[in-house]
PDB file of all heavy atoms in Angstrom:
ATOM      1  N   GLU A 353     115.914  79.756  91.862  1.00  0.00           N
ATOM      2  CA  GLU A 353     116.901  78.956  92.608  1.00  0.00           C
ATOM      3  C   GLU A 353     116.578  77.474  92.526  1.00  0.00           C
ATOM      4  O   GLU A 353     117.467  76.625  92.589  1.00  0.00           O
ATOM      5  CB  GLU A 353     116.933  79.397  94.075  1.00  0.00           C
ATOM      6  CG  GLU A 353     117.642  80.731  94.277  1.00  0.00           C
ATOM      7  CD  GLU A 353     117.372  81.361  95.656  1.00  0.00           C
ATOM      8  OE1 GLU A 353     116.604  80.767  96.450  1.00  0.00           O
ATOM      9  OE2 GLU A 353     117.918  82.446  95.903  1.00  0.00           O
ATOM     10  N   GLN A 354     115.271  77.163  92.378  1.00  0.00           N
ATOM     11  CA  GLN A 354     114.876  75.754  92.370  1.00  0.00           C
ATOM     12  C   GLN A 354     114.840  75.126  90.983  1.00  0.00           C
ATOM     13  O   GLN A 354     114.968  73.914  90.853  1.00  0.00           O
ATOM     14  CB  GLN A 354     113.484  75.603  92.994  1.00  0.00           C
ATOM     15  CG  GLN A 354     113.482  75.848  94.493  1.00  0.00           C
ATOM     16  CD  GLN A 354     112.128  75.553  95.112  1.00  0.00           C
ATOM     17  OE1 GLN A 354     111.585  74.468  94.933  1.00  0.00           O
ATOM     18  NE2 GLN A 354     111.575  76.510  95.823  1.00  0.00           N
ATOM     19  N   TRP A 355     114.567  75.935  89.963  1.00  0.00           N
ATOM     20  CA  TRP A 355     114.454  75.405  88.607  1.00  0.00           C
ATOM     21  C   TRP A 355     115.325  76.178  87.641  1.00  0.00           C
ATOM     22  O   TRP A 355     115.600  77.362  87.830  1.00  0.00           O
ATOM     23  CB  TRP A 355     112.996  75.474  88.137  1.00  0.00           C
ATOM     24  CG  TRP A 355     112.132  74.494  88.858  1.00  0.00           C
ATOM     25  CD1 TRP A 355     112.008  73.162  88.600  1.00  0.00           C
ATOM     26  CD2 TRP A 355     111.267  74.771  89.972  1.00  0.00           C
ATOM     27  NE1 TRP A 355     111.120  72.592  89.481  1.00  0.00           N
ATOM     28  CE2 TRP A 355     110.654  73.552  90.328  1.00  0.00           C
ATOM     29  CE3 TRP A 355     110.950  75.924  90.687  1.00  0.00           C
ATOM     30  CZ2 TRP A 355     109.751  73.444  91.376  1.00  0.00           C
ATOM     31  CZ3 TRP A 355     110.052  75.841  91.739  1.00  0.00           C
ATOM     32  CH2 TRP A 355     109.460  74.604  92.073  1.00  0.00           C
ATOM     33  N   ASP A 356     115.722  75.478  86.600  1.00  0.00           N
ATOM     34  CA  ASP A 356     116.590  76.058  85.593  1.00  0.00           C
ATOM     35  C   ASP A 356     115.726  76.823  84.589  1.00  0.00           C
ATOM     36  O   ASP A 356     115.267  76.255  83.595  1.00  0.00           O
ATOM     37  CB  ASP A 356     117.364  74.922  84.905  1.00  0.00           C
ATOM     38  CG  ASP A 356     118.422  75.451  83.959  1.00  0.00           C
ATOM     39  OD1 ASP A 356     118.729  76.666  84.017  1.00  0.00           O
ATOM     40  OD2 ASP A 356     118.941  74.647  83.150  1.00  0.00           O
ATOM     41  N   VAL A 357     115.459  78.082  84.897  1.00  0.00           N
ATOM     42  CA  VAL A 357     114.578  78.878  84.035  1.00  0.00           C
ATOM     43  C   VAL A 357     115.278  80.154  83.610  1.00  0.00           C
ATOM     44  O   VAL A 357     116.245  80.584  84.230  1.00  0.00           O
ATOM     45  CB  VAL A 357     113.235  79.200  84.755  1.00  0.00           C
ATOM     46  CG1 VAL A 357     112.495  77.911  85.088  1.00  0.00           C
ATOM     47  CG2 VAL A 357     113.472  80.024  86.002  1.00  0.00           C
ATOM     48  N   LEU A 358     114.785  80.756  82.536  1.00  0.00           N
ATOM     49  CA  LEU A 358     115.452  81.918  81.945  1.00  0.00           C
ATOM     50  C   LEU A 358     114.773  83.244  82.297  1.00  0.00           C
ATOM     51  O   LEU A 358     115.440  84.245  82.539  1.00  0.00           O
ATOM     52  CB  LEU A 358     115.474  81.756  80.421  1.00  0.00           C
ATOM     53  CG  LEU A 358     116.238  80.538  79.922  1.00  0.00           C
ATOM     54  CD1 LEU A 358     115.962  80.309  78.438  1.00  0.00           C
ATOM     55  CD2 LEU A 358     117.734  80.705  80.156  1.00  0.00           C
ATOM     56  N   ARG A 359     113.438  83.227  82.263  1.00  0.00           N
ATOM     57  CA  ARG A 359     112.697  84.464  82.573  1.00  0.00           C
ATOM     58  C   ARG A 359     111.422  84.100  83.301  1.00  0.00           C
ATOM     59  O   ARG A 359     110.816  83.061  83.034  1.00  0.00           O
ATOM     60  CB  ARG A 359     112.330  85.224  81.289  1.00  0.00           C
ATOM     61  CG  ARG A 359     113.521  85.874  80.615  1.00  0.00           C
ATOM     62  CD  ARG A 359     113.089  86.920  79.604  1.00  0.00           C
ATOM     63  NE  ARG A 359     114.272  87.578  79.042  1.00  0.00           N
ATOM     64  CZ  ARG A 359     114.261  88.749  78.424  1.00  0.00           C
ATOM     65  NH1 ARG A 359     113.121  89.410  78.280  1.00  0.00           N
ATOM     66  NH2 ARG A 359     115.372  89.274  77.952  1.00  0.00           N
ATOM     67  N   ILE A 360     111.024  84.997  84.214  1.00  0.00           N
ATOM     68  CA  ILE A 360     109.783  84.811  84.966  1.00  0.00           C
ATOM     69  C   ILE A 360     109.007  86.117  84.964  1.00  0.00           C
ATOM     70  O   ILE A 360     109.579  87.186  85.199  1.00  0.00           O
ATOM     71  CB  ILE A 360     110.079  84.403  86.427  1.00  0.00           C
ATOM     72  CG1 ILE A 360     110.648  82.977  86.491  1.00  0.00           C
ATOM     73  CG2 ILE A 360     108.823  84.516  87.286  1.00  0.00           C
ATOM     74  CD1 ILE A 360     111.041  82.520  87.884  1.00  0.00           C
ATOM     75  N   GLY A 361     107.710  86.014  84.701  1.00  0.00           N
ATOM     76  CA  GLY A 361     106.848  87.197  84.773  1.00  0.00           C
ATOM     77  C   GLY A 361     105.650  86.905  85.666  1.00  0.00           C
ATOM     78  O   GLY A 361     105.056  85.834  85.572  1.00  0.00           O
ATOM     79  N   LEU A 362     105.344  87.834  86.569  1.00  0.00           N
ATOM     80  CA  LEU A 362     104.158  87.694  87.429  1.00  0.00           C
ATOM     81  C   LEU A 362     103.429  89.029  87.404  1.00  0.00           C
ATOM     82  O   LEU A 362     103.998  90.045  87.755  1.00  0.00           O
ATOM     83  CB  LEU A 362     104.530  87.411  88.879  1.00  0.00           C
ATOM     84  CG  LEU A 362     105.179  86.100  89.220  1.00  0.00           C
ATOM     85  CD1 LEU A 362     106.593  86.314  89.681  1.00  0.00           C
ATOM     86  CD2 LEU A 362     104.428  85.419  90.345  1.00  0.00           C
ATOM     87  N   ILE A 363     102.171  89.003  86.956  1.00  0.00           N
ATOM     88  CA  ILE A 363     101.410  90.252  86.923  1.00  0.00           C
ATOM     89  C   ILE A 363     100.060  90.019  87.563  1.00  0.00           C
ATOM     90  O   ILE A 363      99.359  89.069  87.205  1.00  0.00           O
ATOM     91  CB  ILE A 363     101.180  90.722  85.476  1.00  0.00           C
ATOM     92  CG1 ILE A 363     102.496  90.630  84.703  1.00  0.00           C
ATOM     93  CG2 ILE A 363     100.695  92.169  85.457  1.00  0.00           C
ATOM     94  CD1 ILE A 363     102.321  90.576  83.235  1.00  0.00           C
ATOM     95  N   HIS A 364      99.699  90.878  88.510  1.00  0.00           N
ATOM     96  CA  HIS A 364      98.398  90.752  89.162  1.00  0.00           C
ATOM     97  C   HIS A 364      97.581  91.999  88.889  1.00  0.00           C
ATOM     98  O   HIS A 364      98.110  93.108  88.894  1.00  0.00           O
ATOM     99  CB  HIS A 364      98.574  90.543  90.671  1.00  0.00           C
ATOM    100  CG  HIS A 364      97.422  89.826  91.308  1.00  0.00           C
ATOM    101  ND1 HIS A 364      96.118  90.262  91.217  1.00  0.00           N
ATOM    102  CD2 HIS A 364      97.385  88.678  92.023  1.00  0.00           C
ATOM    103  CE1 HIS A 364      95.332  89.416  91.850  1.00  0.00           C
ATOM    104  NE2 HIS A 364      96.074  88.442  92.357  1.00  0.00           N
ATOM    105  N   ARG A 365      96.316  91.782  88.657  1.00  0.00           N
ATOM    106  CA  ARG A 365      95.424  92.906  88.365  1.00  0.00           C
ATOM    107  C   ARG A 365      94.686  93.319  89.631  1.00  0.00           C
ATOM    108  O   ARG A 365      94.367  92.465  90.477  1.00  0.00           O
ATOM    109  CB  ARG A 365      94.437  92.455  87.292  1.00  0.00           C
ATOM    110  CG  ARG A 365      93.545  93.544  86.740  1.00  0.00           C
ATOM    111  CD  ARG A 365      92.759  92.986  85.559  1.00  0.00           C
ATOM    112  NE  ARG A 365      91.692  93.903  85.162  1.00  0.00           N
ATOM    113  CZ  ARG A 365      90.775  93.622  84.243  1.00  0.00           C
ATOM    114  NH1 ARG A 365      90.804  92.451  83.619  1.00  0.00           N
ATOM    115  NH2 ARG A 365      89.860  94.497  83.947  1.00  0.00           N
ATOM    116  N   THR A 366      94.382  94.596  89.747  1.00  0.00           N
ATOM    117  CA  THR A 366      93.537  95.065  90.848  1.00  0.00           C
ATOM    118  C   THR A 366      92.292  95.714  90.274  1.00  0.00           C
ATOM    119  O   THR A 366      92.203  95.963  89.071  1.00  0.00           O
ATOM    120  CB  THR A 366      94.270  96.107  91.718  1.00  0.00           C
ATOM    121  OG1 THR A 366      94.732  97.163  90.865  1.00  0.00           O
ATOM    122  CG2 THR A 366      95.426  95.496  92.471  1.00  0.00           C
TER     123      THR A 366
END
Side-chain angles (χ1 to χ4, degrees):
Chain A
E353 285 165 359
Q354 290 186 54
W355 290 280
D356 187 13
V357 299
L358 298 168
R359 288 196 176 199
I360 290 177
L362 293 113
I363 313 159
H364 205 304
R365 187 172 168 186
T366 54

